[in-house]
Amino acid sequence: MTNSYKDTMNLPETDFPMRGNLPKNEPKRLEFWNDIDIYHKVLEKNKDGRPFVLHDGPPYANGPIHLGHAFNKILKDFVVKSHAQRGYFTPYVPGWDCHGQPIEHMVEVTLGPEKMAKIDQPTLRRLCREWAEKYVNIQREGFKRLGVNADWDHPYLTFTHDYEAGNVEIFKDMYLNGSVYRGRKPIHWCKHCHTALAEAEIEYSDEVSPSIFVNFKLDTVPPAFEAAGVSDPAYVLIWTTTPWTLPANAAVCLAPEADYVMVRTPEFTTILAYDLLEDVAQTAGWESYELVRDASGEVVTVKGKDLCGITYTCPIRQDLKGMIIYGDHVTLDSGTGAVHTAPGHGQEDYLVGLEFGIPILMPVDDNGVLTDEAGPFAGLDVDEANPKIIEWLKEQGVLVAHVDITHSYPHCWRCHQPVIFRATDQWFVSMDKNDLRKDALKAIDEDVQWVPEWAKNRIGSMVADRPDWCISRQRSWGVPIPVFKCAKCGNTVATAETFDAVIKLFEEKGSDAWFTESPAEYLPAGTACEVCGCTELIPESDILDVWWESGVSHTSVCKKRPGLHFPADMYLEGSDQHRGWFQSSLLTSIGAYDKAPYKSVMHCGFTVDENGHKMSKSLGNGIDPAEVMDKYGADVLRLWVASVDYSQDVSISEEILKRTSDTYRRFRNTFRFLLGVLNDFSNDDAVVEWDQLEPLDQWALVRLARLLEEVNEAYDNYKFHHVYRLIYDYVVGDLSAVYLDALKDRLYSDAPDARSRRSAQTVISNILEVLVRLLTPIMSFTTEEVWQDYPEGLKTDKRPISVQLAGWPERGDFLPLIPEGEDQRIAERFATVLEFRDEVTKALEEKREAKEITKSQKAFISATVPQAMYDVLTDFDPAFFEELLIVSGVKLTRGDELKIDVSLSDLDKCPRCWNFRVLGTDPKHPDVCERCAIALDAVE
C-alpha cells in the first residue's frame, strides 16, 4: 500500500498497549482502586440490592500466602465480583485464624527449648499474638496483590475480644443443653505436640507396622470343645498391629455370627475364625495341624457370640483377667477373627467395651511413654516398646507369627508424625445427645446447596460416621474452655451466670484475662460449687479446638457484623474442610440455633504439579504466587484459576502458566483491536435501527446475545471454567476467526462515516461493552485498563469511574435491540452460511498448501450447492460473501451435492484495499475500485 493511500485508511488507534507489562502496571491499578476506595464504592452503588454474603473461612496466620491460598481467594473474588457486578450487595469480610498449635509451634521453634522451658503463659500468649499479627499483615498484602476486593482494613481475627466472646456464647448454649460434656475416651493424641487431636487434624500416610499373631491362654476350655476332648491348656489366637497397646488389653472381640474352630498344632491348641484358617496357617507356617472334631467326625464350630464371657489371662499384665466379647466391627478380611481389644486405645474398642462393661486401662503418658502399669515395659516409648514386646512374647512361647505390613495410618497434621490412640479426660460434643447428628444430616440433605452436588455425600458420610467431637486441647494459645473446677472436690462449676460473666470478661479484656485474673474478680458474688459449697474455683486449663473457634464465626462475625447476615449465603473452602470448617461450623450452628450456618457450600480441590503430585517444599515442586505475579502478573494467575475445574485437584506448572499467558495475550489483543477500531466512534454514530445493520453484523449481535445467555448461566452455577471456555472459544472462533477477520476490510477501507462501517462499529461497541463486563470478575486488572483506555467518543459524563461500577450487560442494553424472533431466524440462516464458509475455507487451504494461491483475496469461488443451501445463500448479496470469505467473487450454482472450485480472479488488485475488484469506475480515481473511490471522495 502506497503511503498516500495508507493515510486515507481508517487504521486502528488506541492508547491500550499490546504488551500488558502486568507486573509493573497492576500495582498502579491497585493504587487507583485504593484511592477511590473501590470496595466501599461498590457497596454504596449496590446498597439497595439483594444481599449476598460469602463468609470467608479463616486461613492460619503463620506464613506468607502460598498457591493454595491464592487459588482459594481468587475463586472467592470470582463469586463476590460476579454478584456485585450484577447488583447484589456483597460485603466481604476477610478473616484469619490467629489461635492454635500452628502458631504456638512456630513461636516454640523460634524461642528454642531453653527459653520455652522458662516462659510463663501470658508471655507465650503475647508472643503468639505478635506472630499472628505479623503474618496477618503479610498475608493481607499478598491477597491485595491478587486483586481481591474485601474490607481489608476491618478483617475478623479470632483473637479479638468480641470474637473470643462468641466462643463462650456457643459453648454456653451447648453445655447447658447437655451437648457438651467431659468424659474419658480414647482420642487421637500427638505425643510430639502433647495434645489431643480432632478428626479434622488428622492426615493419613503409609506406615510399616508389625502384624503379630499371639496366643492368649484361656482360663477354661469352652464347653463345645471340651466335649470334643480338648483339655487345658487352650488358647485364643489374637491379631494386632499395635503391640505397644497389649499392656492395656482387657478383652478379645469376636465377630458375633462367624464360625470359630479350635486348631491343634504340635505346639498348642487355639481358637480362631474358620474362614481365616488357611490364611493364618500359611502366615504362621504350620506344616501340620488338625481341626477339633466331635465323635461323628464333624468339625466343631461355635458362633462368636456363644464364646462370650470366657475369660483369659492378659498377655502382659498377667495379674489381670480379660474376657471374650463380640462386636459388629470385627470382620473376616484379615487377621484371625479375634481382635485384641484395649478400650483405652481405640474408638471401636471403647464403644464395644462400654457395651460389655470392660475396664479402661491407660498405661501411656502424655509423652507416649509406657507407665508402671505396663509392667516390664515401663519407661519405654511406644515405638521402642514394639520390638521389645514382640521379643518378650516370643520368649514366653505365645508369639505364633510376626510379619511387617504397610498400611495407612493417622498422622498429626502439624508435625506429620504418627499419632497414638489414648484415653484421656477431655471435653466432647455429643453427636447424638439432642439429636445433633440427626439434625446435621437433615440440614446437609435438605437445607444446603452443595457445589458440586456430590459433595453432599462426602460430608454426609463423615457426619454419619464420626465419633463425638473432642474439643479440648492441651495448649496455651487459644480460647480457654470457659468452665471452672472446684478446688475442694473437683466438681465442674458452669452455670448461665458464670458463662455470662466470662462473656463480659472476654468482651472487655479478652481471653488473656482468664490466665491473669482470679475468678473471684469477675464471677458473680457467692458463686460456689453445687456439690460441696466451696467458693475457691480453678479455671479450666485446656483450650478449645481451633476448629471450634473458626466454626463459631457464624456467631462472632455473621451475626455481629453490620451488613452481614446469618445464615451466610455461601461458604467456600478446600475440599478438606468437609471434615474441618464446614463441619465444625455446621455442628456448632445446629447445636446452638438448630439451623445450618450457610445456604450453600462450594469447595475447591488442591493445587498439584503437572504430574499430579502434591506441592511441597521437600519435593521442590512448589510455585510461589508472588513469583508468578512478578513474572506474569496477577491476571494470568486469575485466568489460570478460571480455566480449571476447581472442584477437582488442579494442575499448575511453568508450562501451564506459559500457555495461560498465551491465552491472556489473545484476550488482550482482542480488546486492543476492539478499542482501536472504535477510535473515531461515539454513541451518536451508532446505527440504531436493526434493519440498518449489515447482515453479518446482525449475526454478530445475535451471537453475542447467545454468549451472554450462556455465560450468565455458567456464572449462576459457579462454573467459572465454563465461563472461561465459552468466552475463549467465542473470542478465538466466531469473533476473531470469523467476524473480525471478515470485518477488517470494511472497517479499514470504507468511508469513515459510511453506514456499513458505522454498522460494524455499532456491533463492535456492543461486543466491547459486554466482554469488558463479563471478564471483570476474572481479569480485573486488564478490564480496568481497558475501561480507562476507552475511546473518547464512548466516555460519557455519567460513565462510572471504574469498570467494577459499570454493572452487568443485559440483552436489553444492546443498541440496536434484537427484534423478537430474529435470534432463531438468523441463527438458522447462518448455520447454513457458516457450513458453506467452512467448506470454502478448506478448499482455500488446500490451494495454499499446493502453492496455487497465496492470499484468499485473489481467489474466485465457483460453488455447486444443494437446493436447500442454494435457497439460503442466494438470499444474500454477492458482496456479503466477498466480505465473509475474503475473496474476489462467488458464483453459486444448484447441484446435487456441495462442491467448491477455487480459481484465480481475472480482476486487478486495488492498490488501496488490496482486494481484486473492477478498477477505474470513477474517472477522478481511475486506479482504485468503486468503494475506495467513494471513500477517497469522503476523506479529501
Side-chain angles (χ1 to χ4, degrees), residues 59-88:
Y60 283 112
N62 67 336
I65 68 169
H66 53 66
L67 195 62
H69 287 132
F71 181 52
N72 176 286
K73 274 293 191 290
I74 289 170
L75 274 175
K76 291 173 181 175
D77 201 44
F78 290 173
V79 173
V80 173
K81 280 180 179 163
S82 61
H83 279 81
Q85 291 281 119
R86 289 182 285 177
Y88 287 83

Side-chain angles (χ1 to χ4, degrees), residues 160-181:
T160 57
H161 297 179
D162 57 340
Y163 193 99
E164 291 178 328
N167 284 272
V168 187
E169 292 179 33
I170 301 299
F171 192 97
K172 170 189 173 182
D173 288 346
M174 296 183 68
Y175 179 86
L176 294 178
N177 71 21
S179 294
V180 171
Y181 68 95

Side-chain angles (χ1 to χ4, degrees), residues 59-64 69 96-97 102-103 106 131-132 135-136 139 414:
Y60 283 112
N62 67 336
H69 287 132
W96 274 273
D97 203 335
I103 294 169
M106 293 308 299
W131 182 278
Y135 282 103
V136 164
Q139 290 189 6
R414 262 301 120 199

Side-chain angles (χ1 to χ4, degrees), residues 714-777:
Y715 269 122
D716 286 342
N717 293 316
Y718 306 111
K719 294 186 178 297
F720 303 117
H721 60 302
H722 288 183
V723 172
Y724 165 88
R725 177 51 60 184
L726 286 165
I727 298 178
Y728 176 79
D729 288 349
Y730 168 75
V731 166
V732 302
D734 287 347
L735 179 60
S736 297
V738 179
Y739 185 56
L740 297 182
D741 195 37
L743 217 58
K744 288 175 183 175
D745 176 61
R746 197 189 333 162
L747 290 167
Y748 296 172
S749 304
D750 278 12
D753 289 325
R755 181 192 58 78
S756 56
R757 183 167 180 271
R758 294 307 191 196
S759 170
Q761 287 179 308
T762 298
V763 173
I764 288 175
S765 176
N766 281 276
I767 292 170
L768 176 62
E769 294 283 7
V770 169
L771 286 183
V772 76
R773 288 167 170 83
L774 293 185
L775 282 170
T776 286

Side-chain angles (χ1 to χ4, degrees), residues 553-566:
S553 60
H554 51 67
T555 294
S556 292
V557 182
C558 294
K559 277 179 168 281
K560 302 290 180 67
R561 283 288 184 103
L564 303 185
H565 58 235
F566 172 89

Side-chain angles (χ1 to χ4, degrees), residues 317-337:
R317 289 289 306 275
Q318 295 182 1
D319 57 323
L320 300 177
K321 296 295 183 181
M323 185 172 74
I324 293 179
I325 59 176
Y326 57 86
D328 292 332
H329 65 284
V330 179
T331 66
L332 303 184
D333 298 331
S334 57
T336 66

Side-chain angles (χ1 to χ4, degrees), residues 212-220 232-240 243 245-253 262 268-271 310-318 320-324 338-342 389 392-393 397-400:
I212 63 173
F213 299 74
V214 183
N215 272 328
F216 287 7
K217 185 176 182 307
L218 299 174
D219 291 337
T220 58
D232 190 64
Y235 299 85
V236 60
L237 184 61
I238 68 91
W239 171 72
T240 183
T245 64
L246 285 173
N249 174 265
V252 170
C253 199
M262 188 164 265
F268 52 79
T269 304
T270 193
I271 294 173
I310 294 173
T311 60
Y312 62 88
T313 300
C314 291
I316 307 295
R317 289 289 306 275
Q318 295 182 1
L320 300 177
K321 296 295 183 181
M323 185 172 74
I324 293 179
V339 178
H340 147 60
T341 299
I389 289 176
W392 186 85
L393 292 170
V398 293
L399 181 68
V400 174

